[in-house]
Amino acid sequence: MSLKDRLIAEISATGPMTVAQYMTACLHDPLDGYYATRPALGEDGDFITAPMISQMFGELIGLWAVETWRGMGAPPRVLLAEIGPGTGALMHDALRAARLDPAFIAAAELWLIETSAPLITRQRKRLADGPLRSSWATSLTDLPPELPLILIGNELLDCLPARQFVRTEAGWAERMVGLSGDNALAFGLAPAEMKEPAMGVPPGVVVEISEAQRAFAAELATRIARHGGAALLIDYGRDQPGGLGDTLQALSRHGKVDPLAAPGEADLTVHADFPAVLAAAQGAGSRTALLSQRIFLQRLGIDQRAAALSRARPDQSPVIARQLARLIDPDQMGDLFKAACFYSANGPVPPGFEDTHD
């Protein structure tokens, strides 16, 4: 029985499910979930991420990690972790740059936080010849305790589910996944209580709330507040509070498809709610900062890195220019993608965020 058939049977038996519950089933069902069985990343897959666009992205983040460690006082042991590491491309490039500082490599313990067995296989192969031995965990709580942490998460928040609410003439309702008259999956509304202030929202407008994004931010920030370190989370999303608008999308073969058409066969995402994420981190004791991806990468020196690569490989100069544009141009990834940073209240501001912290 397919995941779609099982979801139809479940809804028929127990009633409609929230959008967040539907996302979780589609992405993580152990038998047919997208990440559990068929994550397709890259040019030949369903979507492409920044580390796959250019080596520059991962290299700069590797140097960011080294400088962050130095700013922490170069502790003799530090956890270097990536959550949602995809194919391993980002960490592969990051370590190539980070090995320029042998002291950092000697201090770092590499951990990859991943739940997808197919992706772990790809990561293991990609990082086999790297300078650090890789260890895997399924959650933040699985990491070794009490050591300072430098964590990287690229396009992780958008995979965490959100609930959707709509103000109607009769009051607030929650958008649900139920069944149509012909027993097909369909969106509908159910009366709901809206616990958060959402004044001035016009009728019919969707308000997204991701408790999963907030809970992750609070858990990560609690660890950093207790044991020190910093986290870098890069994703596409909003930098203004409110969560207005339906951002749920399904991606297959680099195109948008109906999110209800084939559960488990397409990647489902929502925008990261950075104001809520940063507020949760601050509430857990971390300091925070936020920049556009464009400004963050430019502060780390991506323009200079692109120029150096072009000088070394003049034949690749047009390709490098296109890669640079895709990463930082405002009408491509530059402004839609944001870089958020959590860091210890008694530690230094990590590189790139010096004048943007809370």
Side-chain angles (χ1 to χ4, degrees):
M1 183 182 290
S2 69
L3 178 58
K4 185 174 186 178
D5 290 337
R6 288 192 286 120
L7 289 174
I8 289 173
E10 179 181 344
I11 292 170
S12 179
T14 63
M17 60 178 56
T18 67
V19 170
Q21 291 169 331
Y22 178 75
M23 282 187 68
T24 299
C26 290
L27 295 177
H28 301 295
D29 179 85
L31 295 179
D32 299 298
Y34 182 79
Y35 282 105
T37 60
R38 58 177 70 82
L41 286 68
E43 293 288 355
D44 297 327
D46 295 325
F47 61 95
I48 191 168
T49 59
M52 302 175 193
I53 293 171
S54 170
Q55 68 185 68
M56 296 184 289
F57 186 82
E59 289 172 345
L60 291 175
I61 289 177
L63 296 177
W64 178 88
V66 171
E67 289 301 318
T68 298
W69 171 74
R70 291 174 178 171
M72 293 161 54
R77 293 181 66 197
V78 64
L79 298 183
L80 174 63
E82 184 179 1
I83 185 164
T87 65
L90 189 157
M91 187 55 67
H92 180 270
D93 293 336
L95 291 176
R96 184 174 58 252
R99 69 193 309 167
L100 295 175
D101 187 336
F104 173 79
I105 295 298
E109 299 178 19
L110 177 61
W111 284 82
L112 303 168
I113 304 173
E114 181 61 76
T115 60
S116 170
L119 288 178
I120 289 174
T121 299
R122 295 183 68 176
Q123 294 155 17
R124 196 181 302 277
K125 182 177 180 181
R126 190 69 175 266
L127 298 173
D129 61 349
L132 292 175
R133 182 180 66 85
S134 304
S135 298
W136 276 264
T138 58
S139 69
L140 286 171
T141 56
D142 293 333
L143 296 178
E146 299 184 359
L147 289 177
L149 171 68
I150 298 175
L151 180 136
I152 299 158
N154 182 61
E155 293 200 44
L156 179 279
L157 294 172
D158 63 80
C159 297
L160 300 180
R163 296 171 68 181
Q164 295 185 327
F165 297 86
V166 181
R167 193 167 74 82
T168 70
E169 297 294 346
W172 285 100
E174 183 166 7
R175 197 177 187 213
M176 309 288 284
V177 178
L179 301 178
S180 65
D182 57 356
N183 216 39
L185 294 174
F187 287 115
L189 297 178
E193 186 177 331
M194 184 66 163
K195 297 181 180 180
E196 299 197 5
M199 304 300 293
V201 179
V205 173
V206 171
V207 177
E208 289 183 342
I209 297 176
S210 177
E211 291 298 337
Q213 292 182 13
R214 300 178 189 189
F216 168 74
E219 181 183 10
L220 176 57
T222 297
R223 162 123 195 182
I224 289 172
R226 288 177 179 171
H227 304 302
L232 176 66
L233 302 175
I234 300 178
D235 222 312
Y236 55 89
R238 59 178 69 91
D239 58 3
Q240 297 298 316
L244 300 184
D246 173 15
T247 70
L248 176 68
Q249 65 176 1
L251 294 175
S252 179
R253 310 300 296 180
H254 300 277
K256 294 182 180 180
V257 297
D258 181 353
L260 301 183
E265 296 181 20
D267 184 38
L268 293 185
T269 68
V270 292
H271 280 199
D273 185 353
F274 281 108
V277 165
L278 267 58
Q282 293 163 14
S286 283
R287 300 193 70 183
T288 65
L290 186 68
L291 290 170
S292 70
Q293 177 171 292
R294 172 178 57 86
I295 293 175
F296 176 66
L297 292 179
Q298 287 183 321
R299 287 185 175 185
L300 294 188
I302 194 169
D303 294 297
Q304 293 84 349
R305 180 56 177 152
L309 288 173
S310 294
R311 287 194 298 270
R313 288 291 304 275
D315 59 312
Q316 292 296 307
S317 184
V319 174
I320 294 167
R322 288 195 297 270
Q323 293 171 341
L324 177 65
R326 189 164 181 184
L327 290 173
I328 68 171
D329 275 10
D331 60 349
Q332 297 198 51
M333 298 175 74
D335 286 350
L336 174 61
F337 280 69
K338 314 294 190 301
C341 183
F342 306 170
Y343 60 99
S344 176
N346 58 3
V349 182
F353 296 97
E354 289 83 358
D355 61 350
T356 60
H357 52 89
D358 58 62

